[in-house]
Amino acid sequence: MRERLGPDSVRAGLLFQRFEQTADGVRAHFLDRSNGHPAVEDADVLVGADGIDSAVRTQLHPDESPPTWNGVHMWRGVAHHPHVLDGRSIVVAGGTPGAKFVAYPIEDPTSADGDALVNWVLELRHRSGHGPSAPPPEGTGRRVTAAEARAGLSSWQLPWIDLTTLAERSSAIFEYPMLDRDPLPRWSFGRVTLLGDAAHPMFPMGMNGGSQSIVDTRVLAWCLARENDPVAALRQYDRMRRPAVNAIVLANRNLGPEAIIARAEAHGGPLPAGQADKIATDYRRLAQATAAQVNTRPSWTVQHRATDPAR
């Protein structure tokens, strides 16, 4: 980005505090963590992409309730591990949230029998066993020791993964509560809008948290490129993205496509193919990710005019 937009296009170490906007722009106030001094940035548009605890979202929706916790903790780690199955497989073991183990490679191995960097998640139901509530008082990001991880993984028997090795090779393991927020009735307010987890934090079902954030970005860029008025662009972005993603947030509360696993567990074996296909297809359609939807949707690329000096 610095190469394309200039050396000052990215500034790190700034803690967002508040914004104010006029008809002509937005002024964002930050705290510079390097020296403790205030910093101010003026812009045409402010996009709050600051996560589930978004300070931009809080200013836009000051009376919103805290995030919702479903009573599940996730232990997350990354480790080098020999191939899991064919080396490019994702493992989802277990049924409902709080009794599940997930692992998948996040790099290609250097050789056919070499190690690959594996991302893994162990879900545990909180000892209280309660249902949805406010976030746990101990907060998020607690460091989990290798001994704790080994103990938590000890009840799992997966023949293609050495779980002890996975725990011991992880440079850091952290605990996160599984949180989401209620869907918002509005993201865009004048020249300010939300994007990604700031707009639609969701339970991690169907791997849509990150991917929907990427789609947000693509659609927002498309709207800004096509509209001369930033306010109209953000309003259009809101109309195009918010209803669709809000529906995914609610679907993920009901397990999304992973309902196949939970129903198979209750059924005592694989579901009939028709039932599993329907759950998967309905969710793909909701996420606008069926092959037909992807292949027939018009491109979000905006062609530059020949006279455009930025071309």
Side-chain angles (χ1 to χ4, degrees), residues 276-290:
D277 287 346
K278 184 178 187 308
I279 293 171
T281 300
D282 287 349
Y283 187 78
R284 281 196 297 269
R285 187 176 294 116
L286 185 70
Q288 301 179 6
T290 66

Side-chain angles (χ1 to χ4, degrees), residues 59-254:
Q59 185 170 340
L60 294 174
H61 297 275
D63 299 322
E64 185 183 20
S65 300
T68 300
W69 181 39
N70 65 356
V72 172
H73 283 298
M74 298 177 289
W75 289 1
R76 293 183 172 272
V78 175
H80 282 96
H81 187 279
H83 277 203
V84 176
L85 299 174
D86 66 357
R88 294 188 175 184
S89 296
I90 179 171
V91 174
V92 182
T96 57
K100 187 161 53 178
F101 174 83
V102 179
Y104 50 89
I106 53 177
E107 72 173 0
D108 278 335
T110 55
S111 62
D113 57 353
D115 290 353
L117 200 59
V118 173
N119 187 65
W120 63 272
V121 185
L122 176 65
E123 296 182 9
L124 304 98
R125 179 67 59 178
H126 191 265
R127 57 186 173 272
S128 68
H130 58 66
S133 71
E138 57 266 32
T140 185
R142 181 181 74 86
R143 187 79 173 255
V144 177
T145 67
E148 281 184 280
R150 287 195 303 271
L153 291 165
S154 62
S155 62
W156 292 86
Q157 301 297 322
L158 302 174
W160 357 272
I161 304 178
D162 184 336
L163 296 176
T164 299
T165 297
L166 203 64
E168 292 179 346
R169 288 188 178 180
S170 297
S171 58
I173 304 167
F174 293 99
E175 179 180 84
Y176 300 94
M178 190 180 291
L179 304 172
D180 75 355
R181 284 186 179 273
D182 289 337
L184 289 175
R186 185 176 174 187
W187 294 351
S188 297
F189 293 75
R191 292 171 176 265
V192 180
T193 194
L194 300 171
L195 183 148
D197 276 358
H200 49 73
M202 62 183 72
F203 293 151
M205 313 293 171
M207 299 185 181
N208 258 295
S211 57
Q212 291 298 327
S213 301
I214 293 169
V215 178
D216 288 350
T217 306
R218 184 70 166 161
V219 174
L220 177 59
W222 183 83
C223 292
L224 288 168
R226 292 178 71 251
E227 287 282 353
N228 292 323
D229 178 9
V231 174
L234 299 194
R235 191 164 51 238
Q236 182 181 23
Y237 158 72
D238 192 314
R239 286 197 303 264
M240 292 176 66
R241 291 297 297 151
R242 183 177 44 78
V245 189
N246 281 355
I248 298 173
V249 172
L250 296 177
N252 282 10
R253 288 183 175 177
N254 292 316

